[in-house]
Amino acid sequence: MGDSNISRRDGLRIVALFGKAFLASIFANLPMFALLLVPQLMRSRAGSETLLAIGTVVYLGLITLALLTTPRVTARAAPNEGWLPSTANATVHRIFQTQRGAFWQRIGEWCVLFALAQGAGLLIAWLLPYVSDNPRFGIPGQSRWIVHYRNYFVQAVTVYLFSCFSFAWLGMRFRALARR
């Protein structure tokens, strides 16, 4: 009975720490959320191909920035010995050098979770289409598509929250390796 209380307490502590890391990820990645809220930059049917290209490059840059800052963000939200904001990036570098298999496993987990974020967005887009044909298309000044911003917003929020979950997961998994 005593052991299960300890493990339950540890489990609750881990969930609480993950919650802090998740909230920190949500705040740290707000520029990504702002970008996701602009359909003209993120969807070809809502804007031009040029705007889509710009949005895609910026999105990839923000994903890269999130990956690079995740250790520090997680260390700020859930610090411990060996996992502090000032040392988190160096700790991840040390993990890469000394525990390559564990490092790449964490990166693989992040890839799966991030892909699930995109899949969740696709599911939402299928359930709540964000565009429809414009019956007035052909009249000067009318676009080919009508954007349903409420549905697009739900899709953007879904992708964003799942993405932030993936970044927090990665940070907490590196944090766990730093404790070894």
Side-chain angles (χ1 to χ4, degrees):
M1 175 104 176
D3 289 341
S4 65
N5 287 336
I6 292 171
S7 64
R8 185 176 304 138
R9 189 174 349 157
D10 287 343
L12 290 174
R13 188 177 66 75
I14 290 168
V15 169
L17 289 173
F18 182 82
K20 288 179 180 182
F22 180 57
L23 284 174
S25 181
I26 288 171
F27 286 110
N29 294 302
L30 282 173
M32 185 183 298
F33 185 51
L35 176 67
L36 287 170
L37 289 176
V38 182
Q40 291 79 5
L41 293 172
M42 298 304 297
R43 299 293 181 266
S44 61
R45 292 181 181 177
S48 69
E49 295 297 322
T50 302
L51 287 177
L52 178 63
I54 291 168
T56 300
V57 168
V58 173
Y59 186 53
L60 292 174
L62 290 172
I63 292 167
T64 303
L65 182 63
L67 286 170
L68 293 174
T69 59
T70 286
R72 184 170 289 197
V73 168
T74 305
R76 184 172 302 278
N80 71 11
E81 185 180 328
W83 191 249
L84 301 169
S86 60
T87 62
N89 287 336
T91 301
V92 171
H93 184 71
R94 180 183 49 78
I95 290 168
F96 175 72
Q97 289 179 331
T98 61
Q99 302 175 60
R100 284 189 195 255
F103 175 87
W104 287 113
Q105 178 185 343
R106 272 46 175 195
I107 296 298
E109 292 169 1
W110 173 80
C111 287
V112 168
L113 290 172
F114 193 77
L116 287 174
Q118 304 307 307
L122 182 63
L123 177 64
I124 295 296
W126 180 68
L127 294 172
L128 302 169
Y130 65 91
V131 293
S132 61
D133 288 325
N134 186 351
R136 300 180 67 201
F137 178 65
I139 299 173
Q142 293 295 317
S143 67
R144 171 80 175 93
W145 305 101
I146 297 173
V147 177
H148 305 288
Y149 287 98
R150 183 176 300 155
N151 293 354
Y152 183 80
F153 177 78
V154 172
Q155 180 188 14
V157 167
T158 301
V159 169
Y160 180 66
L161 291 177
F162 275 81
S163 296
C164 288
F165 182 92
S166 74
F167 296 124
W169 179 271
L170 178 65
M172 290 300 288
R173 294 290 282 153
F174 281 144
R175 179 185 185 270
L177 285 177
R179 296 184 69 190
R180 290 183 183 177

